[in-house]
C-alpha cells in the first residue's frame, strides 16, 4: 500500500471515530461548565441571580443564602465567572454579578426545564394538562379524519387522535403548534392502520430521541426513492425538537420547515413496516413475524462536532443506498 493510500485509510478511520464521539473541544467545554455547576450552593446562587428583579446580585445579597463566609461566596462566584456563566462588574466596594448574555437561555433551560424534570423523576408522574378547548379541537380533528378513513370505526379514529396528542404533548416544550403536529402524526398512524398488503415498501427508522439519526435516514430515503417508498421515523424517548446540528442537513436534503419533528414509537408503525431499522434504542421495538429488522450502529449527532455530523450523514447515506438497492433493484440512485 502506498503512503497516499495509507493516509486515505487513516483519514477514513478518523472520520468513523468522529462519527461515534462528541467533539473533543465540545466535550472539554461542556465538562468544565458542568463541573462548575455541580455544587448545590452555586446552583442556588445562580437561581437567585436569574430570578432577581434587577437581574443581578452582589456578594452581600448572596451571603444570606448560607452560613458560609463572604470570601467563600466570592470563591463560588469566581468559579462560575471563570467558566463564563456569570459576568461581573465592580461598583464602588462591591462586585455585582449577572448571567452572561450567552448563557441566559441555557440557564433558563436549566432552571425551568432540567431542574423540574430532575425533581419530577423522584416523585410521581405529573398529570398532563392542556388548553381548555383542546377537547373540542381534537373532536373536530377526529371527525374530519373519520371521513377520510371510512373503513375505521369513529371511536378508533378518535382514540388515535387523542393518543397522538398526548404522546406529542409529553415531550413538547412549546404548545403553539401541537394541534398541527397532532394532525400530521394522527394521519400517519391512521394510514398505517389501513395499509393494505402488497402496497409500496414501508421503512421505519427508530432511534432514542427521533431528533437526529432517524430523521436524517428518513430524509435520505425520501431524497432517493421519492414516493416509491413510505418512510416513517420515531423515537423510543422522543425529544422536544430536532437537533440544531441536524437541521441544515435536513434542509439540504429537501426537508421543509416543520416537516421533521420527533414522534414516539407506536405499535401500528411497527406493524405497518416491512423493514424496521433501529439505531441505538435497544430492544424497544416489538418483534413481529414477517418484518425485517436491522440494527445500524451509527453515532448520535446531538453533540458531535461538525466533522462528526458530516461523517454520520455520509454513513447513513451509504446504508440507505444499500437498503434501497435491496428493496427496489430497479431504482436509479442518484450520485450522492
Amino acid at each position: 500500500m502506498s503512503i497516499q493510500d495509507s493516509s486515505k485509510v487513516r483519514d477514513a478511520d478518523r472520520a468513523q471515530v468522529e462519527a461515534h464521539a462528541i467533539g473533543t473541544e465540545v466535550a472539554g467545554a461542556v465538562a468544565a461548565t458542568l463541573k462548575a455547576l455541580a455544587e448545590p450552593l452555586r446552583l442556588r446562587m445562580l437561581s437567585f441571580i436569574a430570578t432577581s428583579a434587577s437581574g443581578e446580585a452582589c456578594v452581600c445579597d448572596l451571603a444570606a443564602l448560607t452560613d458560609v463566609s463572604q470570601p467563600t461566596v466570592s470563591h463560588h462566584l469566581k468559579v462560575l465567572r471563570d467558566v463564563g456563566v456569570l459576568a461581573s462588574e465592580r461598583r464602588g466596594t462591591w462586585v455585582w454579578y449577572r448571567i452572561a448574555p450567552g448563557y441566559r437561555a441555557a440557564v433558563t433551560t436549566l432552571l425551568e426545564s432540567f431542574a423540574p424534570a430532575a425533581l419530577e423523576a423522584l416523585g410521581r408522574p405529573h398529570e398532563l394538562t392542556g388548553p381548555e378547548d383542546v377537547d373540542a379541537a381534537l373532536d373536530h380533528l377526529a371527525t374530519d379524519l373519520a371521513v377520510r378513513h371510512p373503513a375505521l370505526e369513529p371511536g378508533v379514529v378518535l382514540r388515535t387522535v387523542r393518543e397522538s396528542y398526548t404522546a406529542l404533548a409529553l415531550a413538547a416544550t412549546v404548545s403553539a403548534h401541537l394541534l398541527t403536529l397532532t394532525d400530521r402524526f394522527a394521519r400517519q398512524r391512521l394510514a398505517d392502520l389501513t395499509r393494505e398488503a402488497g402496497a409500496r415498501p414501508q421503512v421505519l427508522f427508530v432511534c432514542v430521541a427521533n431528533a437526529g439519526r432517524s430523521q436524517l435516514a428518513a430524509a435520505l430515503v425520501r431524497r432517493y426513492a421519492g414516493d416509491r417508498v413510505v418512510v416513517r421515523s420515531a423515537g423510543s424517548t422522543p425529544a422536544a425538537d430536532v437537533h440544531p446540528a441536524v437541521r441544515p442537513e435536513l434542509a439540504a436534503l429537501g426537508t421543509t420547515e416543520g416537516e421533521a419533528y420527533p414522534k414516539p414509537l407506536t405499535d401500528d408503525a411497527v406493524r405497518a413496516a416491512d423493514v424496521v431499522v433501529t439505531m441505538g434504542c435497544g430492544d424497544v421495538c416489538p418483534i413481529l413475524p414477517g418484518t425485517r429488522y436491522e440494527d445500524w450502529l451509527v453515532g448520535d449527532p446531538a453533540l458531535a462536532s461538525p466533522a462528526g455530523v458530516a461523517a454520520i450523514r455520509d454513513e447513513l447515506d451509504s446504508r440507505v443506498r444499500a437498503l434501497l438497492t435491496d428493496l427496489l433493484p430497479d431504482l436509479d440512485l442518484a450520485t450522492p
Side-chain angles (χ1 to χ4, degrees):
M1 181 183 294
S2 66
I3 295 177
Q4 185 177 10
D5 290 337
S6 297
S7 178
K8 290 181 178 179
V9 171
R10 286 195 300 271
D11 289 343
D13 291 341
R14 190 176 300 113
Q16 288 297 317
V17 172
E18 285 281 348
H20 289 271
I22 180 176
T24 302
E25 293 183 2
V26 174
V30 173
T33 303
L34 291 177
K35 183 178 180 180
L37 291 170
E39 206 286 331
L41 180 54
R42 292 176 200 158
L43 288 174
R44 295 192 69 206
M45 292 177 177
L46 193 65
S47 66
F48 181 94
I49 297 171
T51 57
S52 171
S54 61
E56 60 183 9
C58 68
V59 175
C60 58
D61 295 324
L62 296 166
L65 289 173
T66 177
D67 293 330
V68 301
S69 64
Q70 288 190 3
T72 301
V73 172
S74 296
H75 163 72
H76 286 302
L77 292 169
K78 182 179 182 298
V79 172
L80 294 176
R81 185 185 62 189
D82 287 346
V83 296
V85 175
L86 294 182
S88 63
E89 179 185 1
R90 178 172 291 278
R91 300 178 200 156
T93 59
W94 294 105
V95 177
W96 293 79
Y97 295 83
R98 62 174 57 241
I99 308 298
Y103 269 100
R104 286 172 186 164
V107 169
T108 298
T109 300
L110 172 66
L111 298 176
E112 297 184 3
S113 297
F114 182 84
L119 293 175
E120 289 171 4
L122 299 176
R124 62 183 181 183
H126 66 282
E127 184 179 354
L128 180 66
T129 59
E132 292 182 359
D133 62 345
V134 69
D135 286 338
L138 294 177
D139 289 344
H140 180 72
L141 174 58
T143 299
D144 289 344
L145 292 177
V147 174
R148 297 173 177 269
H149 296 277
L152 295 175
E153 292 290 333
V156 173
V157 177
L158 179 60
R159 183 173 66 251
T160 301
V161 168
R162 289 186 173 276
E163 288 177 353
S164 298
Y165 175 85
T166 302
L168 293 174
L170 286 172
T173 56
V174 178
S175 60
H177 306 293
L178 191 52
L179 287 174
T180 300
L181 296 181
T182 299
D183 185 6
R184 296 177 182 175
F185 187 36
R187 288 174 188 270
Q188 283 191 8
R189 295 186 61 192
L190 294 173
D192 292 341
L193 286 173
T194 56
R195 184 180 183 237
E196 298 179 357
R200 293 172 295 166
Q202 185 154 326
V203 180
L204 171 64
F205 293 102
V206 185
C207 66
V208 176
N210 191 213
R213 294 165 287 187
S214 54
Q215 295 283 359
L216 280 171
L220 284 164
V221 170
R222 284 191 291 267
R223 176 195 178 191
Y224 287 126
D227 59 3
R228 292 194 60 185
V229 173
V230 176
V231 62
R232 302 276 191 255
S233 68
S236 55
T237 308
D241 203 354
V242 174
H243 296 314
V246 173
R247 291 173 191 158
E249 300 290 346
L250 293 175
L253 293 171
T255 302
T256 58
E257 184 71 22
E259 183 180 358
Y261 59 97
K263 299 169 290 295
L265 178 65
T266 61
D267 288 345
D268 38 71
V270 177
R271 284 192 293 267
D274 298 298
V275 182
V276 176
V277 178
T278 58
M279 290 177 273
C281 55
D283 300 325
V284 298
C285 291
I287 304 300
L288 302 178
T291 301
R292 171 178 166 184
Y293 292 85
E294 295 188 11
D295 186 43
W296 293 359
L297 298 178
V298 181
D300 188 350
L303 296 176
S305 64
V309 174
I312 291 168
R313 177 206 60 214
D314 291 343
E315 183 174 353
L316 285 171
D317 187 279
S318 297
R319 290 178 178 272
V320 164
R321 289 168 65 87
L323 176 62
L324 290 177
T325 298
D326 189 33
L327 291 178
L328 302 172
D330 62 329
L331 181 64
D332 183 14
L333 290 170
T335 302

